[in-house]
Amino acid sequence: MFIVQRGTLLSFSSSTYTASVLLAASASTAIDAVPVSRGIASAEMVTGRRVTVAIFDGANPEDAMVVGVW
């Protein structure tokens, strides 16, 4: 089972298709190298945008994927 959280995009690497994300639930902790769904165009991944993050293991927030952006 996974959980879904909101976050803010801090940075995006189009070469590795990964992001650094600040989760809304933890305003002081960023997670790095989060895989981004290839269904999201790289042009949409602009610093400061809100993102949806699926976290597959609640005990390990680094086991996650960016699945949406708005």
Side-chain angles (χ1 to χ4, degrees), residues 26-46:
S26 175
S28 64
T29 304
I31 52 175
D32 297 319
V34 179
V36 176
S37 169
R38 293 288 178 149
I40 301 172
S42 61
E44 297 294 325
M45 299 300 290
V46 177

Side-chain angles (χ1 to χ4, degrees), residues 2 5 14-15 23 48 51:
F2 67 94
Q5 289 198 14
S14 60
S15 62
L23 295 176
V51 294

Side-chain angles (χ1 to χ4, degrees), residues 6-68:
R6 295 180 187 179
T8 302
L9 182 65
L10 298 176
S11 66
F12 172 70
S13 170
S14 60
S15 62
T16 60
Y17 237 75
T18 58
S20 291
V21 177
L22 181 64
L23 295 176
S26 175
S28 64
T29 304
I31 52 175
D32 297 319
V34 179
V36 176
S37 169
R38 293 288 178 149
I40 301 172
S42 61
E44 297 294 325
M45 299 300 290
V46 177
T47 299
R49 291 202 62 190
R50 304 288 294 179
V51 294
T52 304
V53 181
I55 300 175
F56 302 106
D57 179 358
N60 180 10
E62 292 182 357
D63 186 14
M65 180 177 212
V66 175
V67 295

